[in-house]
Amino acid sequence: RKEVEQDPGPFNVPEGATVAFNCTYSNSASQSFFWYRQDCRKEPKLLMSVYSSGNEDGRFTAQLNRASQYISLLIRDSKLSDSATYLCVVILGSGNTGKLIFGQGTTLQVKP
Amino acid sequence: EAQVTQNPRYLITVTGKKLTVTCSQNMNHEYMSWYRQDPGLGLRQIYYSMNVEVTDKGDVPEGYKVSRKEKRNFPLILESPSPNQTSLYFCASSFTGTLYTQYFGPGTRLTVL
């Protein structure tokens, strides 16, 4: 079983739709969780952190469910510019161990 | 401008011919890391370095070497490249206190024939 798993999609949605992605992780010692965005084989960039209490940034909401070991990303009112691949990232262990595990990414295509 | 640079950006080579991909950052970051990205497998960490002269294996270190003699540079060395090392490679850096904010280089697309 992969340490971090995502549904690769693609998710094809119309503009204005709400879409949600999940990411599951297998290591219960995982401490820190994040979402990155990657445009068309360019370099990934940090989108947002995921806190136990949830995290909202404009149209984006990230949540963590430790009991079920998954994190989620919700995008409301999708824009064409949201089309990208979304990568979930887990940092293993407590403290700064240096080991980041990336999911394989979920591709989102927003259509006019 | 704060950035991570990688060279070369594109490289086609042949099996067994040693090569080095350079990575340099100008943000005084302690942490640097190399990843490879393959379709369906996502980003996989090859090696990382928490500081000068400190390196550790990631998930897929076989066939690669790294060194961290200076803070700003973290070259990736393929002593004897093989076709299964054909991939898109990213270098990244950050402060050790903020590992989640990785700054990635533009990527190096390597083809080994």
Side-chain angles (χ1 to χ4, degrees):
Chain A
R1 182 185 172 186
K2 291 181 183 174
E3 289 186 273
V4 178
E5 288 201 74
Q6 295 181 250
D7 180 347
F11 284 61
N12 294 303
V13 303
E15 268 186 294
T18 295
V19 62
F21 314 132
N22 279 348
C23 168
T24 58
Y25 60 95
S26 60
N27 191 329
S28 58
S30 302
Q31 292 292 325
S32 308
F33 310 89
F34 309 93
W35 285 101
Y36 272 67
R37 170 187 169 135
Q38 185 176 25
D39 292 303
C40 198
R41 303 298 268 181
K42 292 192 175 177
E43 69 271 23
K45 293 183 180 175
L46 178 66
L47 177 67
M48 61 196 304
S49 305
V50 187
Y51 305 127
S52 298
S53 56
N55 186 19
E56 188 172 316
D57 183 4
R59 299 181 292 108
F60 297 80
T61 301
Q63 293 195 307
L64 166 65
N65 185 317
R66 283 195 185 273
S68 301
Q69 294 187 199
Y70 75 85
I71 64 174
S72 63
L73 178 68
L74 180 80
I75 305 175
R76 290 180 297 278
D77 189 23
S78 300
K79 311 290 184 194
L80 295 175
S81 57
D82 293 334
S83 297
T85 296
Y86 292 85
L87 307 166
C88 72
V89 183
V90 171
I91 297 182
L92 295 181
S94 59
N96 294 320
T97 62
K99 200 153 190 249
L100 281 74
I101 308 292
F102 283 76
Q104 69 266 47
T106 297
T107 298
L108 172 66
Q109 298 270 15
V110 181
K111 307 286 188 185
Chain B
E1 180 190 352
Q3 60 183 345
V4 178
T5 56
Q6 293 178 228
N7 281 292
R9 293 289 313 281
Y10 303 90
L11 179 61
I12 300 174
T13 189
V14 295
T15 299
K17 187 176 180 183
K18 181 180 178 179
L19 66 92
T20 299
V21 185
T22 64
C23 174
S24 183
Q25 51 91 6
N26 61 1
M27 295 169 277
N28 203 34
H29 287 160
E30 302 96 358
Y31 180 93
M32 297 186 76
S33 181
W34 275 103
Y35 301 87
R36 61 178 288 175
Q37 187 171 35
D38 303 289
L41 297 176
L43 274 161
R44 293 180 293 167
Q45 195 174 41
I46 303 171
Y47 270 96
Y48 63 95
S49 169
M50 298 291 278
N51 215 324
V52 176
E53 301 291 3
V54 179
T55 62
D56 278 295
K57 294 177 181 178
D59 289 318
V60 289
E62 296 79 20
Y64 304 94
K65 284 174 59 177
V66 293
S67 68
R68 188 87 183 275
K69 295 188 173 67
E70 306 164 283
K71 200 171 189 179
R72 63 182 293 129
N73 296 322
F74 191 45
L76 179 70
I77 303 156
L78 285 72
E79 294 270 5
S80 183
S82 61
N84 65 12
Q85 292 179 297
T86 292
S87 188
L88 178 60
Y89 291 86
F90 287 104
C91 178
S93 72
S94 73
F95 293 113
T96 51
T98 54
L99 285 182
Y100 52 87
T101 311
Q102 292 286 304
Y103 291 84
F104 282 82
T108 294
R109 188 168 291 280
L110 173 66
T111 301
V112 183
L113 302 174

